Amino acid sequence: MRAINTIIWSGISIFGQSGIAFLSTIILARMLTPDDFGLIGIVTLFIAFSQMMVDSEMGGALLKKKTVDNTDYSTLFYYNLAASLVLYVILYASAPLIADFYDRQELTDIIRIISFTIIIHAFRVVQRIMIFRSLNFKAYALINMASGIISLAAALWIAKAGYGYWALVWQQIVLAFANVVFLQLYNRFIPSLCFSKESFRYQFSFGISLLGADTVKTIANNISTNIIGKISSLDFTGCYSQASRVSGFCQTFLTGLMDQTIFPMMVKIDDMTRLKSIYHKTLIYMTLSLSVVTVLFVTLATPIIHYLLGEEWIQASGIFQILSLTILPASVQVLCRNIIKTLGDTKRVLYLETIKSSILISFLLAASLAGNYYVVWSLAVSQTVCCFIWLYETEARLNIRIRMQADTLINR
């Protein structure tokens, strides 16, 4: 019963958070221009990469550890804080170079301001781990939804005042800050004045391979916007960014559910037969449901974009159709990643993410020579190829034959 309650509240949390982000996309699309979203889309890679470096996946070690004390949490906190400060300085100094590369001087100030979220994120990592260990996703759901509503209100106020893309910048800052404040009020976490080398080595040994995997994964997943931003107009880049947000709603929900809920629960399972059953059922249900979603999105792309974003964004409908084809393969990869991570084979995760990223980036770079839409199509093709690679490796680790799964699906 507790497991079901945990999944329900986690689903509410992620759906609420994603839903508010989705709602802000729809509302702000009618108040801002594609150029505004294009500018922020270019910055996304740098912020996502930096936050990933701060997170470092070291917290996953504390999810697996049976007993965790304040020393473990404090060690992780001080690493997070130090890493965030270093990364902020690097981004602050390199902001003019990035602006020159894209020939948009506005990016200098945007990067220097929005990078504050990296430091704020450092205060959030330990707080999330504490809630995930307790599986108290009801509190986490309420915190995420409250933070999302406050940040959306701030963004709407700034956009209405006529400050354009700054609405998107401050939305991210307010979201991060509000989230940290609410988490602190709930957890009351105060780091002790100690740093355990032994605890750090334990966390680092678990997280280093996953950090490498996340590094290549983050670059591969976000570089498409930067490539498009370099070879095309900000208008097209903004349309791509918005189409990606709309098509990625289902995937974001499923990814969050698996990473934040399923993984913390699966790491406590010692029975391989039960783990295989969870994987098997999840894969079947995911395939069936997301196949239906994909067909609907591809068929109704134009009215969906027109209704959600407005006539100004109609160019995004073609991009949306193509990106919809990535929803299923990308989601299946997340499931496989969590299964392999649950088994403790983090080196295998790094190996697979490296292969995946190499394929994605190779396809993207080759397609960039042909034009905008070829870049978008390269994502659909490469994600499908990578999906089969992840499935093969997961089957090998669980010793389950794909044919057995196919037969079961047909019999059902």
Side-chain angles (χ1 to χ4, degrees), residues 58-73 129 133 196 198-200 202-203 206 267-268:
M58 288 170 56
L62 300 186
L63 289 176
K64 289 179 67 69
K65 193 176 181 181
K66 291 185 177 181
T67 303
V68 178
D69 56 26
N70 192 266
T71 299
D72 295 315
Y73 287 133
I129 296 300
R133 276 190 61 87
S196 171
E198 180 181 353
S199 179
F200 179 78
Y202 169 74
Q203 296 178 48
F206 177 87
V267 293
K268 302 180 184 298

Side-chain angles (χ1 to χ4, degrees), residues 276-296:
K276 290 179 180 180
S277 177
I278 293 174
Y279 163 73
H280 183 211
K281 291 178 180 179
T282 305
L283 180 61
I284 291 174
Y285 295 143
M286 182 183 293
T287 301
L288 291 175
S289 60
L290 292 185
S291 293
V292 173
V293 171
T294 299
V295 171
L296 289 175

Side-chain angles (χ1 to χ4, degrees), residues 390-408:
W390 275 95
L391 278 172
Y392 177 83
E393 289 291 337
T394 305
E395 303 297 330
R397 293 292 285 115
L398 291 177
N399 195 26
I400 303 175
R401 291 180 290 113
I402 295 179
R403 183 176 178 182
M404 181 193 305
Q405 294 180 0
D407 291 342
T408 303

